[in-house]
Amino acid sequence: MGNKWRKAKVALGVNLCLYVPKTLEESRRSDDAVSVSPVTVPRPTTPVPSSSGLWLPRSFSKSSSKKTCAICLTAMKAGQGHAIFTAECSHSFHFHCITTNVKHGNQICPVCRAKWNEVPLQSPNAKSKSPVKPIARPRDDAWMTIPPRRSAQNQSSSRPERLRPVSSIFNTEPAVFNDDEALEHQTLPAESALEKSKLGVTGKLEVKTYPEVSEVLRSVSFKDFAVLINLKAPAASKSSSSSSSSCRAPVDLVTVLDVSGSMAGTKLALLKRAMGFVIQNLGPFDRLSVISFSSTARRNFPLRLMTETGKQEALQAVNSLVSNGGTNIAEGLMKAAKVLIERRFKNSVSSIVLLSDGQDTYTMTSPTGGGPKGTDYKILLPKEINGNLIPVHAFGFGADHDASLMHSIAENSGGTFSFIESETVIQDAFAQCIGGLLSVMVQELCVKIECVHPVLRIGSVKAGSYRFDCGKDSRTGSIGVGDLYAEEERNFLVNLDVPVVKGVSDPMSLLKVRCVYKDPVTKETVDLNTFGEVKILRPVVMSEGRHVVSVEVDRQRIRLRAAEAISEARVLAERGDLTEAVSVLEACRGVLSETVSGQAGDPLCVSLCAELKETQERMASRQVYETSGRAYVLAGLSSHSWQRATARGDMSDTTTMSYQTQSMVDMVNLSQTMNFGCPLASSKSNSSSSPKPPAQRKLRQALTFPARPRPR
């Protein structure tokens, strides 16, 4: 009778949580010496998902598992032509079934959920077909699934996928984070100069200079004469893409994710989906590490190459995140710095992405979000990050995060601060950032300036957050620009005091500009020193129509004026004088509309006017400013000071497009149009309806997460 009951259980998918007592004959055959349990029916246990997609009850006995493979649900008997694998937990499976199961990184027993230290590895030359065919079940986490692996011809890496023990990834952290995966492209033989030139960045940095006017009378001095230096990085190669790192600089990316209690529910689900998008768009030479923090910080995933196996393992780590506890941003950043400082190998580009929806409840206490007077947020940033020039791109999520804290972290590390107001755009915000990081064309750029005329001196340089070092005699100086994304531009205004001159009306040489940077692919230094000199004419009499201000210089002055007005309004708003702050913004809008660029409908001027108007609306009341105004203003100031795109609000207006590059736009478009696999039906009614093709569905828009009321 017992054998029939067991066969019935196997036929029903092993989902019946029934206790069937052994017969006397079976108990005699058993190797166990313990007595038979009483004939009672225990309470049903909750089924647990196996790594193969089946649902197995926790009461699944060892005796039944030894006779039936828990993966394919067929009998296991010696001498039938199938190898049998017995794990250290004593459960047995067909060898083919379990090797198929563990090759995706699932080294956990499908029956008892015990972690295995030793797993079966199938030879790469093993036949793919086998008489034992496991049951295929659809997965219910379609948005956290990497698309099927492409053919071997399309793989950029010829190395066979080797499985890493899961225990080395998900178990306790080592004392030193020197377990990063080796970089394959650094172990290859050195290429020839011709091959390296083919792999390098196509094109060189473009440098243009524009004097404020082309002529200045000899008898007139000109105070704060502006010379604009315009830099533009080369475009990305057509063969360069997120999935191929051979024509671009590979990235070491560390994500620091807030998993405190406030992230529970929809927030955490959408964060996982956004991370799935990031993982999917990294190339096989890029490396990723995942740090999560709540009351403490944990390294969930070490620095690993994003091969197909690496992506699957990274998705497992992200999918295992659980929200609870407080918010300890400082410890999360310390863990991220430890990953990058103690790594054995280094990719050309390194960056940290930080996301939080709350306020630091351990290192800092700033209940208002603006921080108490004199708050020093620099203590949150590890010294190793500043000393090694590792930018932290911070994302403030929702209405309750500490915008001042996040902005300070980004500003002091050389990164950007973005404000994600609505949860529906978290993936788009990540996409914009990743689109830039995966298109670095120029590294360690330094712009060197030298006055040519012996009387000239450098008055000031409008460089935003970039560091300007002036020589002792004020005749030389340098601007540390750092990295540039593909087609990204930088504009710097150099102010000079042009004196009165005597003599003939020969052209007057003002400046010499020299740019030195590193090609991120070949790692060769590029020295551009062929621009000549910036010159103006010094006539005795001004030519008619020649005293016209350069349009390019005028546009940059407008941009700087708008940024200064927003900064001044923020200071007033923090003091509580919102009325005066709004009047400052309104006055700046009026000035911009009267300029030549404003009257001509210049796109930059139109965008700046729209940003000023939006900032005014977010300073309408104290509650509105505390809820979203401060974060919106700081994200805008971060964008202007670094001349780099940041996410603001819902990313639907033109104010967020001022500094966007084509790579960023392409990645955001991919995020907005990406389809994910169709999930399992959530109810019986759905499963009973007319069958739908297993095609992809468009990403469903989620509801806005709860926050404090936002009267506008």
Side-chain angles (χ1 to χ4, degrees), residues 64 73 94 104 116 131 167 182 318 391 460 464 544 569 582 586 593 642 666:
S64 62
L73 302 180
H94 287 116
H104 298 297
W116 294 340
S167 58
V318 171
S460 62
E544 184 177 354
V582 171
E586 182 64 30
S593 61
W642 295 111
D666 292 342

Side-chain angles (χ1 to χ4, degrees), residues 3 22-33 67:
N3 288 334
K22 292 182 179 180
T23 62
L24 181 59
E25 181 180 359
E26 289 175 334
S27 62
R28 290 176 180 175
R29 295 178 182 175
S30 176
D31 295 332
D32 299 336
K67 296 181 179 180

Side-chain angles (χ1 to χ4, degrees), residues 298-314:
R298 177 189 177 192
R299 188 190 70 166
N300 302 82
F301 189 69
L303 205 56
R304 289 286 185 266
L305 288 170
M306 287 296 97
T307 58
E308 294 299 325
T309 300
K311 290 180 179 182
Q312 292 290 348
E313 292 172 347

